[in-house]
Amino acid sequence: MTKTEFIYALERGLGRAYITATENSEILQNEAVKALTECTSFDVQCEGTRADYAIGIISHLGATARFRDIIINKLFSTPNSDMSWDTAYYAELLSKINDSVSADALREKYKSLYFDLSNTKSLPFGRFPERDNFEQVCVSLCKSSKVFREIASDIANLIDNNPNFDCGDFDWFILESRQFIKRAEQYKKKGQKLCRFLELVNEREKLRLIELDRRKNDPTLAEAARKRLENYKNRALFQDIPLPKSEEELIKTLETLDIDKDNESGWHSFHFDIFDSLERGDYPEYLKSALPMIYKTTRCSNCRFHSLRLMAKFKMLSREIIEECLYDSNNDIRTFAKRRINKAKQPRNRAASQ
């Protein structure tokens, strides 16, 4: 694999980049460090940040300390009000590195964000990146009961002293910290602020269950959800990029389509149009040939997973691809590959096992 091919695979989170990194540590170190200091996920909310994948590669290359120092500089140079997912990525990377230098950096960023939230006079319309970034740092920093108690107490203090916030603003932190919450509820001595945090969490949970019950028993909401799903399933396909009329045209379209980070070319919807057409069953036979190309070229690991499942359905998966997927950036893909390999090892019938 050339350096250009390595970077191409790395940016997409393919397993082949991970495998290559373990075999060419000295040659590819600079390229990997440079590429992985930027979040390569197409959609962080759906895919995650790929931090595990990045740290695994950097560790194999023996560049952890160098990489960590670059990430710390980037974390502090990123404004607290930044609306990208950079803070989330940097915080999760430092959490995975998990040394004292990384922990100190996360704590400093935590203090800076907490100061901004404490002094917030009014909430902006729409997204509030300072809160989002603060919650991400909380999740990344919270690795022990002691740290959890400190963060929980700070959040309780913030809610009680700033009317702009309530417990619902920290649902993700609460979800990710449920093991610490369960443990804290058993403490004999909790402290006033930790007691207040647990009280707020319990109130939030009661309201959540009431709302869940209301939605579950509201026929209007159920019908609206059913219609949305039906409309999506029956939506017209290939509106942005027309369906090519032959396999040759399809391959040419996929080869020339710019798989850009911002999806300006419309490649993401084109991929899903292909998936939906194949799943509906109303497709020309040559459309299957798009699947291996989507697997190799897409920036979206969810699209890659869709292509893999459909290749499995149509018996197009090679052993090489399955083994590569063991090192993919997407956890669902890694699990999928493990199951395929384990299934292949099992005897097909009783006679085969005797």
Side-chain angles (χ1 to χ4, degrees):
M1 182 180 286
T2 65
K3 290 183 179 180
T4 301
E5 290 170 337
F6 173 70
I7 296 300
Y8 183 90
L10 197 66
E11 289 175 343
R12 284 150 179 77
L14 287 164
R16 66 190 64 176
Y18 196 106
I19 294 169
T20 301
T22 65
E23 298 170 349
N24 301 274
S25 57
E26 295 182 3
I27 300 173
L28 298 172
Q29 187 180 107
N30 290 335
E31 283 72 16
V33 168
K34 183 178 180 181
L36 293 174
T37 52
E38 304 297 335
C39 183
T40 60
S41 300
F42 172 67
D43 186 344
V44 173
Q45 282 184 302
C46 294
E47 300 176 74
T49 64
R50 302 182 184 174
D52 280 326
Y53 175 81
I55 292 301
I57 290 174
I58 292 299
S59 177
H60 275 300
L61 295 174
T64 303
R66 174 189 169 195
F67 185 69
R68 177 202 62 203
D69 293 344
I70 294 172
I71 294 303
I72 288 173
N73 287 332
K74 282 184 168 288
L75 178 69
F76 288 120
S77 63
T78 302
N80 289 347
S81 59
D82 181 63
M83 295 187 72
S84 72
W85 290 95
D86 287 349
T87 297
Y89 181 54
Y90 303 146
E92 194 166 354
L93 286 172
L94 294 175
S95 177
K96 301 293 182 185
I97 293 172
N98 195 25
D99 61 9
S100 59
V101 177
S102 300
D104 288 345
L106 283 172
R107 188 167 287 278
E108 285 303 311
K109 189 67 171 180
Y110 171 88
K111 291 177 181 177
S112 174
L113 285 159
Y114 186 77
F115 177 83
D116 285 357
L117 294 189
S118 300
N119 290 279
T120 297
K121 304 301 181 184
S122 61
L123 296 183
F125 180 76
R127 277 191 63 189
F128 184 23
E130 289 90 341
R131 180 194 58 210
D132 297 342
N133 291 332
F134 172 75
E135 193 173 27
Q136 171 61 61
V137 172
C138 287
V139 171
S140 298
L141 193 58
C142 192
K143 287 184 170 292
S144 68
S145 293
K146 180 183 178 183
V147 174
F148 164 74
R149 290 196 299 271
E150 293 172 359
I151 294 174
S153 298
D154 282 346
I155 290 176
N157 187 64
L158 180 66
I159 293 171
D160 285 340
N161 290 285
N162 192 321
N164 289 300
F165 301 102
D166 60 40
C167 201
D169 290 312
F170 307 101
D171 278 343
W172 184 35
F173 172 72
I174 293 169
L175 179 66
E176 292 293 317
S177 305
R178 54 192 179 277
Q179 60 170 325
F180 295 119
I181 292 173
K182 188 175 181 180
R183 198 177 303 164
E185 288 171 340
Q186 309 302 317
Y187 295 158
K188 291 182 179 179
K189 295 182 179 180
K190 298 183 176 70
Q192 183 180 356
K193 286 302 178 183
L194 180 57
C195 282
R196 177 58 177 150
F197 177 80
L198 296 175
E199 179 185 322
L200 289 165
V201 169
N202 288 330
E203 289 174 0
R204 174 68 176 168
E205 179 62 11
K206 288 176 183 177
L207 292 174
R208 189 187 71 81
L209 291 175
I210 291 171
E211 177 63 15
L212 190 64
D213 186 64
R214 184 188 74 81
R215 288 174 174 271
K216 187 177 180 180
N217 295 292
D218 188 332
T220 305
L221 291 174
E223 178 61 18
R226 188 193 66 78
K227 282 186 176 180
R228 284 196 299 272
L229 181 60
E230 185 178 333
N231 289 338
Y232 178 78
K233 287 182 177 179
N234 296 322
R235 68 189 177 91
L237 303 178
F238 303 106
Q239 297 298 297
D240 298 325
I241 300 176
L243 173 64
K245 296 179 181 179
S246 67
E247 182 173 355
E248 184 179 3
E249 286 186 25
L250 174 63
I251 298 301
K252 185 177 180 180
T253 298
L254 290 167
E255 286 178 341
T256 57
L257 192 60
D258 181 20
I259 313 296
D260 58 299
K261 289 183 179 179
D262 298 321
N263 189 35
E264 292 183 1
S265 67
W267 61 265
H268 197 235
S269 60
F270 184 57
H271 288 176
F272 267 92
D273 285 345
I274 291 172
F275 300 148
D276 288 344
S277 182
L278 289 170
E279 288 172 346
R280 287 181 187 180
D282 56 350
Y283 58 88
E285 189 66 21
Y286 64 80
L287 198 59
K288 295 177 186 177
S289 62
L291 296 174
M293 291 197 66
I294 293 175
Y295 168 81
K296 291 188 295 184
T297 62
T298 183
R299 288 181 178 271
C300 173
S301 65
N302 287 330
C303 283
R304 185 157 64 249
F305 190 29
H306 275 292
S307 68
L308 284 166
R309 289 193 300 178
L310 285 168
M311 280 195 282
K313 177 181 177 180
F314 298 127
K315 303 187 185 308
M316 298 170 63
L317 275 181
S318 67
R319 178 78 182 186
E320 183 182 8
I321 288 179
I322 295 172
E323 290 180 349
E324 174 186 4
C325 288
L326 290 170
Y327 305 94
D328 197 273
S329 63
N330 185 296
N331 183 58
D332 290 334
I333 291 177
R334 295 194 300 272
T335 302
F336 170 83
K338 288 175 186 175
R339 287 175 179 168
R340 297 285 301 186
I341 289 174
N342 289 336
K343 186 178 179 181
K345 290 179 180 178
Q346 294 173 359
R348 294 192 175 185
N349 52 51
R350 188 175 296 176
S353 63
Q354 294 176 347

